[in-house]
Amino acid sequence: MRQLEAIFLDRDGTIGGDDTVHYPGEFELFLYVEKEIKRLKQDNIKIFSFTNQPGISNGLAKRQDFVQELKGFGFNDVYICPHRHDEGCSCRKPNTGMLIEAQQKHELRLENCAVVGDRWSDIVAAAKVGSIKILVKTGAGKSSLNEHFDKLNDVNIDYIANDFKDTISWLYRNFILSNRL
């Protein structure tokens, strides 16, 4: 059984909001998320943000506002791609730049980390580095399963969760508690 080292969480649609971007000050967490983040941290699981935010590049928001907001929610560290999809960066999901940066900074084994998101790009990035892949049906999750099946065709999703709370229950059953037995 793998020892879970960290969880990478997408922002919009995964831990709050819906399938659109809500800028800091407008974004609201789902009711149970803050409690679950505290629980994970008490069990020494690192929690990282992992989010594409092209509004930064477009001048609609500031990176520091996202960082401040996410750290306020309890994240250990924040990884943000501020680029638009046409800028050709290595950090924008489904590329793996944010995951690799966190791996190096925190000395992680990405195969012992979970990536949780509501979009196909979250899951494909996780697959590229061998992480545990969890797709939540909130946000764009249902449409990712239905409309982007072709992009997920060769990816074995480890778990499809109804929401973030379901995700955390599954992780506790399969990784966190089972390692204590």
Side-chain angles (χ1 to χ4, degrees):
M1 186 61 66
R2 297 189 276 190
Q3 178 71 37
L4 190 65
E5 295 178 33
I7 302 173
F8 289 86
L9 300 174
D10 175 57
R11 180 181 177 268
D12 299 289
T14 300
I15 61 169
D18 50 35
D19 64 346
T20 61
V21 174
H22 296 269
Y23 294 109
E26 302 168 359
F27 182 78
E28 292 184 26
L29 287 176
F30 296 135
L31 293 177
Y32 45 80
V33 170
E34 202 165 4
K35 180 181 174 187
E36 295 295 339
I37 287 174
K38 286 179 185 174
R39 178 179 167 203
L40 289 162
K41 289 178 76 173
Q42 287 173 345
D43 286 324
N44 296 314
I45 306 297
K46 292 179 179 128
I47 310 295
F48 301 123
S49 168
F50 166 70
T51 181
N52 290 342
Q53 294 298 335
I56 296 170
S57 184
N58 291 331
L60 301 173
K62 294 183 178 157
R63 177 181 173 79
Q64 188 54 39
D65 292 338
F66 281 100
V67 172
Q68 183 177 349
E69 173 193 72
L70 291 161
K71 291 254 181 159
F73 294 153
F75 284 87
N76 295 96
D77 211 343
V78 175
Y79 295 90
I80 299 172
C81 172
H83 306 104
R84 294 183 311 271
H85 67 87
D86 61 352
E87 291 186 71
C89 67
S90 64
C91 54
R92 185 174 174 83
K93 299 179 277 184
N95 293 323
T96 60
M98 291 185 281
L99 296 169
I100 300 301
E101 182 182 349
Q103 174 189 36
Q104 293 168 351
K105 181 176 180 182
H106 297 279
E107 299 179 4
L108 299 170
R109 292 172 301 223
L110 291 174
E111 67 272 12
N112 293 335
C113 296
V115 171
V116 182
D118 67 324
R119 296 188 181 270
W120 68 269
S121 55
D122 302 315
I123 303 307
V124 170
K128 288 178 180 179
V129 298
S131 292
I132 301 161
K133 302 162 291 305
I134 302 170
L135 181 78
V136 292
K137 291 182 184 177
T138 53
K142 289 179 184 175
S143 67
S144 288
L145 287 169
N146 296 327
E147 298 166 22
H148 299 287
F149 182 77
D150 58 323
K151 295 173 182 149
L152 294 170
N153 197 27
D154 295 330
V155 176
N156 292 322
I157 300 171
D158 293 294
Y159 188 62
I160 298 173
N162 290 318
D163 55 28
F164 183 70
K165 193 171 191 173
D166 182 24
T167 297
I168 300 308
S169 294
W170 184 83
L171 284 169
Y172 267 90
R173 281 192 314 274
N174 291 281
F175 295 96
I176 299 168
L177 293 178
S178 62
N179 283 314
R180 294 182 186 158
L181 301 177

